[in-house]
Amino acid sequence: MSLFSRFVKRFFGDPHEKKIKEFLPVVEQINSFEGSIKILSDDELKAKTVEFRARLDKKATLDDILPEAFAVVRETAKRVLNMRHFDVQLIGGIVLHQGKISEMRTGEGKTLVATLPAYLNALEGKGVYIVTVNDYLAKRDSEWMGQIYRFLGLTVGLIQSGMETEEKKEAYEADITFGTNNEFGFDYLRDNLAWDLEQCSQNRRNFAIVDEVDSILIDEARTPLIISGPVRDSTSKYIKIARIVKYLKKEEHFTLDEKHKNVVLTEEGTDKLEKEMGLGNIYSVENMDVAHMAIQCLKALYLFKRDVDYVVKNGEVMIVDEFTGRIMDGRRYSDGLHQSIEAIEGVVVQNESQTLASITYQNYFRMFPKLAGMTGTAETEAPEFDKIYGLEVLVIPTNKPMVRKDCTDLVYKSKEEKYKAIVNDIRDLYKKGQPVLVGTIAIETSEIISGLLKQFNVPHNVLNAKYHEREAEIVSNAGQPQAVTIATNMAGRGTDIVLGEGVKELGGLCVFGTERHESRRIDNQLRGRSGRQGDPGVSKFFVSLDDDLMRLFGSDRIAKVMDTLGVPSDTPIEHPWIAKSIERAQMKVEKYHFSIRKQVLEYDDVMNKQRETVYALRRQILEKKNLDNKVKEMIGDITKSAVAEFYFERAIDTKEELEVFEGFVNRLQSVFPIENLKEIVRSKARAAQIEELTESFYKFYLYRKNDCPPGLFEEAITKRTLLFTLDKKWMDHLHNMDVLREGIGLRAWGQKDPLVEYKMEGFDMFKMMLVNVAEEALSLINRYEIVGDERELETDGIPVVEPQEMSFSSAESSSVLKTQRRADDKVGRNDPCPCGSGKKYKKCCMN
């Protein structure tokens, strides 16, 4: 806590405490219902859901029914789970209902707290999402807490990775839906790549309760969700460059900035790379990818560590989440970094990919009209939650007083001495019978500690990204007598550690941190594993001067003090001043990461507005709502753009003007193949030109539409062509925006704000993209021919042509939709094939 914060708290009181007191009258109201609800039969208790919904239909608000509804949930929890909400849990539930973040210490029952606002808000019938960090917790909570909801007549859905669309649709339509942040975000993106409404699953977003909200909305905020597709093969080039950079020398050929994870090639390094690659200039337009690949390979070699940032498993490079220690399945570093690591590690280099759709968690969760979160540690990030998400953090008091002892950090000169001290302390506690949980930042550290313990025959469990399958089981047993558990960071987060018999008398769970994390919040999470519900416990951090945090942020001063005092290498320094110095270093890193997240959001906000526009248009096309009007609007956009570029205020006199006019006519005719364009546009006022051209082009579109069988043109041609073109152009636009952003920082050298420049140029590019979508789509629609068979799909009797069966071909300006039929054109896709093979027609001669 800062000096100013302490001053404010001393003279004005704790702001959290004041706000908590405001909830006490509501808690008293909830408690006042307990007697009358306790005597209800099960059927009468279940009937309360129907009663509450009836009251809401009669204009009662959720706040009106909150006290009684919370009392109903508490009574239900007692009957089906043998668990009763404490008063502090009721306060936590009120905070969540109000769309705020409830900070509750580990072991205070956050999972049970969520049942209160989830039930209350689900009564509106708009759906509630409960978001967890992994599939295991989502499944566990849906089955465990789901008993309460089902008892009260609500439906419960579960979203898991690998589910079919129909299963997901059913889960999303439930009153309360459990799932992970990854799946919720990816389903949103998948829905916006769908070619049919039936393929969309997540059709509503109303209220989300995010468990471990700091992990999802802070730690993962810099990592966007991306759905990508493969692009051209460049794997061999990565392999060659990775081999070359291993021979480049630090300072001579490149410089390294560890704090900001940046690499810069020197002039000598550039010359060396050009010589080895046999190229004249690696910064020329045709060769600039070489310089980029070299930088990424150097980052992979010197800034990303195996068993820290990633693991190699079954011949694949798999990212390790720096905040949880879990493997991030399916995730890949972007911008060629993943390929560089694969090349450095000597595994198969997979093709680069191109972004098809992306969104940050920041922008995904900001789409919810109502958002709330729970965690054990959010107060240190309260300004960020408020600034980015508009979420207030309230610290909820513990049900029982906290008695855990938090020791001052022990600082050693080297890692070796630090590890020895940790192992010696573990051995002493093991002999005593007291359980120990050792938290490490890296997989490498957990394996070093494990190796040392094996030398002394100390039984222990290791939990890191390599063994995450047994996560919950290992962590749940960490409080048993003589249990020694080594876990990377916050592995097992969300699983309660219950002390075994006799452990309280031994001093409770002892938590050791093997080094300080860059974020104080992560350290607090580790401390919070001990001392739950008034249990005794101890937490202690061991630090060495060559830890990354200490090395990068001022360990020199501490080293001088130790040398001056003549402190032996195996003797630690323990002083509050040093703890403050470490805390200041952490705060520096936190501010730096916040600035990066803020910058990510500022730039993604530009893309977000464009994304919302494209996805809204896409949804309109999918639903075929006012599709003719949308086409007319596109025609108007094309016409306005063309007239703005080519219009003359006076008659055309010169040869140059005539060429410009011919270009104008040719551009429009490339989209709308009608013959009398020159007569329509010659010698008319601008507004008259736009109006007459728009009407003429729209009539041409309607002519082609009306010349088709009912429903065919709209479904098979207009809808699918618009979707195909929009997706293709949007994908190209995402790539162009990435390229723009990559170089936009250089505008600062010209005294220009890069963000403002990015917004302006991005907006111009987006406007042009929409015009290009309209031109290309309508050009195809106006020249459509179905070559081959018209194949009937069993979709409400409307014949539909599948995308792979469509053919685009140039036709004369007077062309209309042509359909070639075969004698067996009435055979349905799922009917037996006429050839007698016994197969379905679609699997046989249809192809």
Side-chain angles (χ1 to χ4, degrees):
M1 186 183 292
S2 69
L3 185 63
F4 177 75
S5 299
R6 287 196 294 269
F7 173 83
V8 170
K9 186 172 180 179
R10 180 177 177 183
F11 286 93
F12 298 100
D14 187 343
H16 296 293
E17 192 175 315
K18 287 185 175 181
K19 288 179 180 175
I20 294 301
K21 285 180 179 178
E22 295 174 7
F23 299 130
L24 296 182
V26 183
V27 173
E28 289 176 10
Q29 279 184 284
I30 298 167
N31 288 334
S32 71
F33 280 103
E34 188 162 19
S36 60
I37 288 177
K38 189 176 182 180
I39 60 175
L40 297 177
S41 67
D42 283 359
D43 289 340
E44 289 171 328
L45 189 60
K46 293 174 182 178
K48 281 291 181 180
T49 298
V50 178
E51 178 192 321
F52 291 145
R53 283 179 163 162
R55 286 166 62 182
L56 289 172
D57 289 341
K58 293 177 181 176
K59 306 304 180 187
T61 66
L62 291 178
D63 288 340
D64 293 335
I65 65 173
L66 182 149
E68 190 175 359
F70 275 28
V72 164
V73 174
R74 177 156 70 178
E75 179 59 29
T76 304
K78 282 171 60 180
R79 296 188 189 186
V80 302
L81 299 179
N82 196 28
M83 301 171 76
R84 180 185 178 277
H85 297 78
F86 303 125
D87 284 358
V88 290
Q89 290 177 311
L90 298 179
I91 293 172
I94 297 168
V95 170
L96 293 176
H97 166 65
Q98 291 183 350
K100 298 174 182 176
I101 292 175
S102 174
E103 178 179 304
M104 304 182 73
R105 290 186 183 269
T106 303
E108 290 295 304
K110 293 188 289 292
T111 307
L112 186 62
V113 168
T115 59
L116 300 163
Y119 171 75
L120 177 65
N121 284 267
L123 294 172
E124 288 188 310
K126 298 177 182 177
V128 175
Y129 295 169
I130 298 181
V131 187
T132 63
V133 293
N134 61 46
D135 278 344
Y136 164 77
L137 291 177
K139 189 171 189 295
R140 182 200 72 178
D141 293 352
S142 69
E143 293 171 352
W144 186 22
M145 296 298 141
Q147 296 176 67
I148 295 174
Y149 307 127
R150 293 185 183 96
F151 180 93
L152 291 170
L154 299 184
T155 54
V156 178
L158 172 64
I159 303 295
Q160 299 270 271
S161 56
M163 286 174 62
E164 296 294 329
T165 302
E166 286 303 316
E167 293 178 283
K168 286 191 172 182
K169 284 174 72 173
E170 185 178 347
Y172 278 118
E173 288 302 313
D175 294 310
I176 296 168
T177 306
F178 290 83
T180 66
N181 49 314
N182 281 351
E183 284 305 307
F184 283 127
F186 277 126
D187 283 342
Y188 167 75
L189 293 178
R190 290 185 193 107
D191 285 355
N192 285 289
L193 290 172
W195 274 53
D196 197 285
L197 274 177
E198 293 301 311
Q199 298 169 355
C200 298
S201 58
Q202 191 183 105
N203 293 313
R204 60 180 181 178
R205 283 173 294 278
N206 177 49
F207 177 36
I209 300 172
V210 183
D211 195 9
E212 309 297 1
V213 66
D214 56 326
S215 174
I216 293 170
L217 297 189
I218 300 292
D219 299 339
E220 302 229 24
R222 284 184 291 166
T223 308
L225 293 169
I226 298 173
I227 293 180
S228 56
V231 294
R232 62 185 176 81
D233 182 20
S234 57
T235 57
S236 58
K237 200 178 280 188
Y238 276 107
I239 295 169
K240 185 175 182 181
I241 293 173
R243 193 163 54 244
I244 294 169
V245 300
K246 288 180 180 178
Y247 296 99
L248 298 185
K249 297 176 183 176
K250 188 177 174 183
E251 300 303 332
E252 180 183 346
H253 296 122
F254 64 92
T255 58
L256 206 61
D257 181 357
E258 287 189 70
K259 283 186 183 179
H260 301 96
K261 289 206 168 185
N262 195 25
V263 175
V264 177
L265 284 170
T266 63
E267 194 172 333
E268 290 79 5
T270 301
D271 292 342
K272 175 86 170 172
L273 201 58
E274 287 172 347
K275 181 181 177 183
E276 294 294 331
M277 293 293 292
L279 300 172
N281 179 9
I282 60 171
Y283 292 107
S284 63
V285 174
E286 62 271 18
N287 296 326
M288 64 189 305
D289 62 328
V290 172
H292 174 73
M293 289 179 182
I295 294 291
Q296 297 298 73
C297 285
L298 285 167
K299 285 182 180 179
L301 191 58
Y302 292 100
L303 297 177
F304 288 80
K305 300 175 184 175
R306 183 172 180 167
D307 289 342
V308 177
D309 300 295
Y310 64 89
V311 296
V312 177
K313 194 173 182 180
N314 300 325
E316 287 185 53
V317 171
M318 308 180 82
I319 300 174
V320 174
D321 188 327
E322 64 172 308
F323 296 100
T324 65
R326 296 186 180 100
I327 285 180
M328 301 168 80
D329 286 321
R331 296 276 192 96
R332 290 178 64 81
Y333 292 116
S334 60
D335 210 21
L337 178 59
H338 211 99
Q339 285 78 10
S340 300
I341 295 173
E342 288 169 334
I344 291 293
E345 289 290 347
V347 300
V348 175
V349 180
Q350 299 182 26
N351 283 343
E352 286 190 78
S353 57
Q354 184 168 348
T355 301
L356 304 179
S358 74
I359 193 170
T360 60
Y361 286 123
Q362 293 164 320
N363 275 319
Y364 174 71
F365 283 107
R366 290 197 307 175
M367 288 193 293
F368 287 80
K370 188 172 179 180
L371 180 65
M374 309 179 291
T375 182
T377 47
E379 192 177 11
T380 57
E381 313 293 344
E384 182 168 353
F385 279 119
D386 180 50
K387 189 174 184 65
I388 303 297
Y389 303 100
L391 290 171
E392 182 182 356
V393 175
L394 280 180
V395 179
I396 311 299
T398 56
N399 183 49
K400 295 179 180 179
M402 171 65 68
V403 296
R404 183 188 66 233
K405 180 184 177 184
D406 295 330
C407 302
T408 306
D409 293 6
L410 299 176
V411 182
Y412 291 83
K413 278 188 175 181
S414 69
K415 286 184 179 180
E416 290 74 18
E417 296 300 334
K418 177 181 71 173
Y419 294 150
K420 285 179 187 176
I422 292 170
V423 170
N424 286 335
D425 278 12
I426 292 172
R427 290 171 62 200
D428 291 342
L429 293 170
Y430 172 74
K431 290 173 184 174
K432 177 184 171 184
Q434 187 173 358
V436 184
L437 174 65
V438 184
T440 69
I441 288 178
I443 296 168
E444 182 183 26
T445 308
S446 67
E447 293 183 343
I448 289 172
I449 300 291
S450 174
L452 291 172
L453 288 174
K454 285 175 182 175
Q455 292 178 16
F456 293 103
N457 297 316
V458 177
H460 60 280
N461 282 310
V462 179
L463 177 58
N464 57 37
K466 291 183 175 179
Y467 312 107
H468 65 287
E469 294 86 355
R470 295 180 56 220
E471 184 173 297
E473 177 195 345
I474 293 174
V475 171
S476 64
N477 292 320
Q480 300 303 309
Q482 288 194 312
V484 177
T485 309
I486 305 170
T488 44
N489 246 326
M490 291 322 300
R493 189 172 178 177
T495 305
D496 214 3
I497 299 178
V498 180
L499 297 182
E501 188 176 346
V503 172
K504 287 184 182 180
E505 291 73 20
L506 294 171
L509 176 65
C510 186
V511 171
F512 288 165
T514 58
E515 63 185 285
R516 283 287 191 170
H517 194 272
E518 290 178 344
S519 169
R520 291 170 295 163
R521 180 171 43 81
I522 304 300
D523 289 342
N524 291 339
Q525 282 281 0
L526 181 59
R527 283 195 196 276
R529 307 314 295 268
S530 175
R532 61 176 289 282
Q533 286 292 329
D535 288 342
V538 179
S539 72
K540 186 189 298 184
F541 280 86
F542 295 77
V543 179
S544 71
L545 297 184
D546 47 7
D547 290 346
D548 287 345
L549 183 71
M550 300 295 290
R551 185 170 51 81
L552 296 174
F553 292 93
S555 62
D556 293 344
R557 292 191 301 274
I558 301 172
K560 286 177 183 176
V561 171
M562 295 180 82
D563 290 338
T564 303
L565 296 175
V567 177
S569 60
D570 60 349
T571 303
I573 283 188
E574 186 177 3
H575 199 282
W577 287 0
I578 293 176
K580 289 293 178 189
S581 175
I582 294 171
E583 187 177 2
R584 283 194 295 272
Q586 289 176 307
M587 290 172 70
K588 284 182 186 177
V589 181
E590 287 168 1
K591 287 178 181 176
Y592 170 68
H593 285 159
F594 173 49
S595 68
I596 291 178
R597 289 191 292 266
K598 186 168 175 286
Q599 187 183 54
V600 166
L601 182 64
E602 287 172 342
Y603 278 89
D604 194 60
D605 276 345
V606 179
M607 284 302 303
N608 197 49
K609 289 179 174 63
Q610 298 178 4
R611 184 188 300 112
E612 287 173 355
T613 302
V614 168
Y615 287 175
L617 172 59
R618 214 179 177 284
R619 189 75 182 192
Q620 187 179 341
I621 295 168
L622 270 181
E623 294 174 350
K624 293 183 287 186
K625 284 185 178 177
N626 303 316
L627 205 51
D628 286 351
N629 289 342
K630 177 50 65 179
V631 169
K632 188 172 185 179
E633 185 183 315
M634 287 181 165
I635 290 170
D637 291 342
I638 295 169
T639 307
K640 287 173 191 173
S641 172
V643 170
E645 189 173 346
F646 292 106
Y647 180 72
F648 283 96
E649 293 287 350
R650 52 185 174 74
I652 298 168
D653 296 325
T654 66
K655 181 180 178 183
E656 289 77 11
E657 290 174 344
L658 183 61
E659 287 177 356
V660 171
F661 178 73
E662 291 287 347
F664 168 49
V665 172
N666 290 338
R667 173 178 170 181
L668 289 177
Q669 271 193 325
S670 70
V671 182
F672 306 99
I674 59 179
E675 296 175 345
N676 58 339
L677 264 178
K678 290 184 180 180
E679 287 68 31
I680 296 174
V681 300
R682 193 185 293 277
S683 303
K684 286 185 182 291
R686 185 191 300 267
Q689 269 195 15
I690 293 172
E691 183 179 356
E692 191 165 345
L693 282 169
T694 301
E695 287 301 321
S696 297
F697 296 154
Y698 186 55
K699 285 178 182 175
F700 180 76
Y701 167 79
L702 292 178
Y703 158 71
R704 287 177 55 76
K705 176 186 173 183
N706 295 332
D707 198 55
C708 276
L712 176 63
F713 196 82
E714 186 176 54
E715 170 68 30
I717 296 178
T718 304
K719 173 186 147 183
R720 297 197 175 209
T721 303
L722 286 174
L723 287 176
F724 171 78
T725 310
L726 182 61
D727 288 349
K728 184 161 71 78
K729 294 294 184 185
W730 175 241
M731 183 177 70
D732 293 341
H733 179 71
L734 288 174
H735 173 71
N736 294 336
M737 290 294 284
D738 282 344
V739 172
L740 173 65
R741 182 172 173 179
E742 196 172 295
I744 203 74
L746 297 174
R747 306 287 176 91
W749 290 93
Q751 305 301 309
K752 294 180 179 179
D753 186 336
L755 181 60
V756 173
E757 294 288 300
Y758 180 75
K759 287 179 180 178
M760 291 169 56
E761 290 201 25
F763 179 67
D764 290 341
M765 289 165 60
F766 185 65
K767 283 197 302 183
M768 184 54 65
M769 183 209 78
L770 291 178
V771 172
N772 290 339
V773 167
E775 286 192 7
E776 184 169 317
L778 288 169
S779 176
L780 292 170
I781 289 168
N782 290 332
R783 288 172 168 77
Y784 237 113
E785 287 184 59
I786 298 180
V787 295
D789 305 327
E790 173 189 325
R791 293 167 185 169
E792 293 185 358
L793 302 183
E794 295 169 357
T795 315
D796 300 329
I798 300 174
V800 178
V801 183
E802 293 187 298
Q804 64 268 27
E805 297 170 77
M806 294 180 177
S807 172
F808 305 107
S809 60
S810 298
E812 297 299 319
S813 59
S814 60
S815 70
V816 294
L817 189 70
K818 298 175 183 176
T819 307
Q820 300 176 354
R821 297 180 180 272
R822 284 196 340 191
D824 55 0
D825 63 353
K826 292 184 179 179
V827 178
R829 290 163 51 85
N830 293 311
D831 291 339
C833 188
C835 73
S837 66
K839 298 179 181 177
K840 290 183 179 179
Y841 180 45
K842 66 180 180 181
K843 297 286 188 182
C844 192
C845 293
M846 175 176 165
N847 297 313

